Amino acid sequence: MLIASSAPKIDRQQSYLTLFEQGFSVMSLLFFAGAAEPLLGGNLSLLTLARYSILMLSGLLALMRWRSTLRTVHHGALIWPLIGLAILSVLWSRSPVDAMDSIKGEILQTTTFALYFASRFRPREQLRLLAIALGIAALLSLFYVFAIPSVGKHLSGKFAGAWRGIYNQKNTFSAYMTLTLITFFVLSSHNERRLERRLSQGFLALSITMIILSTSMTGLI
């Protein structure tokens, strides 16, 4: 009786943890997609806090499933020498301090999250979570274009009128919208769920439109 009564509680806890991990992954992907800066008002302290929070939570969650994490480390053996080389580059860098800051603020963070993400979710789940994050970034960009055009568009200079969404420059915006296009193209092409397929097609059309309106050859090529 004790075992039977505790089973639903364990299932609920597991469900809550899964929801947390999915939400954390989406928020982290949004951070990597450049959506954090406008949402946090460019506050450097908050951005740094978010950066190291992702690092610590990713590491903790990876340790919670250490067997799966070790399998992922083993399967990705070819990439570790490249990461090691990037870390060792501090030895011959012209600016070792800047190189070390980059390692602590970029390489360590992204590598830890990628290790957790790859070990926790199956490829199909990864694609869906990435689609959610990129979809949110696309909608935020659309909001900024129409609600805050001083941020969402280039209003002066040779790029006047070009869309840039939540990003500082139209080429960056176009590059992320190209990634959004690819992600939703794959989802719309290999999805048996009608609603998801329709949503994917909608975001696919939106990303194409945004690439065109960015007037950036980065996305058009």
Side-chain angles (χ1 to χ4, degrees):
M1 290 294 292
L2 181 60
I3 295 175
S5 62
S6 63
K9 183 178 180 180
I10 294 173
D11 289 341
R12 284 197 301 272
Q13 290 175 342
Q14 187 62 43
S15 297
Y16 293 149
L17 178 59
T18 298
L19 285 173
F20 171 78
E21 290 186 271
Q22 290 173 342
F24 166 69
S25 296
V26 169
M27 295 304 294
S28 298
L29 290 168
L30 270 172
F31 183 89
F32 296 132
E37 187 169 348
L39 291 176
L40 297 178
N43 188 301
L44 185 59
S45 297
L46 290 178
L47 288 170
T48 301
L49 177 62
R51 187 183 305 278
Y52 285 103
S53 295
I54 291 173
L55 171 62
M56 289 186 292
L57 277 173
S58 297
L60 178 62
L61 291 169
L63 286 174
M64 287 174 60
R65 294 183 172 85
W66 60 272
R67 289 187 179 88
S68 178
T69 301
L70 287 178
R71 284 196 297 270
T72 303
V73 170
H74 176 71
H75 291 155
L78 292 177
I79 200 171
W80 299 115
L82 296 176
I83 295 173
L85 182 63
I87 294 173
L88 288 174
S89 67
V90 70
L91 298 176
W92 58 79
S93 172
R94 287 188 175 183
S95 179
V97 174
D98 290 339
M100 184 59 69
D101 287 342
S102 179
I103 291 170
K104 291 188 296 183
E106 301 292 341
I107 296 176
L108 187 59
Q109 172 203 16
T110 53
T111 301
T112 304
F113 175 77
L115 178 60
Y116 156 70
F117 192 63
S119 63
R120 173 61 181 86
F121 300 104
R122 295 189 296 270
R124 185 72 180 181
E125 294 172 319
Q126 294 173 22
L127 185 63
R128 283 178 174 164
L129 292 171
L130 178 61
I132 292 171
L134 292 174
I136 292 173
L139 291 176
L140 282 172
S141 293
L142 193 64
F143 172 79
Y144 271 67
V145 165
F146 290 104
I148 317 175
S150 60
V151 176
K153 291 182 180 181
H154 289 284
L155 297 181
S156 60
K158 62 180 180 179
F159 299 142
W163 286 22
R164 62 181 181 184
I166 59 175
Y167 302 96
N168 292 327
Q169 218 272 347
K170 65 169 188 164
N171 290 334
T172 306
F173 172 61
S174 179
Y176 276 110
M177 288 305 102
T178 300
L179 177 59
T180 305
L181 184 156
I182 295 170
T183 301
F184 282 105
F185 174 78
V186 174
L187 274 180
S188 63
S189 301
H190 303 85
N191 202 320
E192 297 178 356
R193 300 178 182 179
R194 184 175 181 180
L195 178 59
E196 282 192 16
R197 188 169 64 251
R198 295 301 185 196
L199 284 172
S200 297
Q201 291 169 347
F203 275 100
L204 176 61
L206 177 62
S207 59
I208 292 173
T209 302
M210 286 181 159
I211 291 171
I212 294 172
L213 292 173
S214 73
T215 70
S216 170
M217 295 304 294
T218 300
L220 294 175
I221 293 176

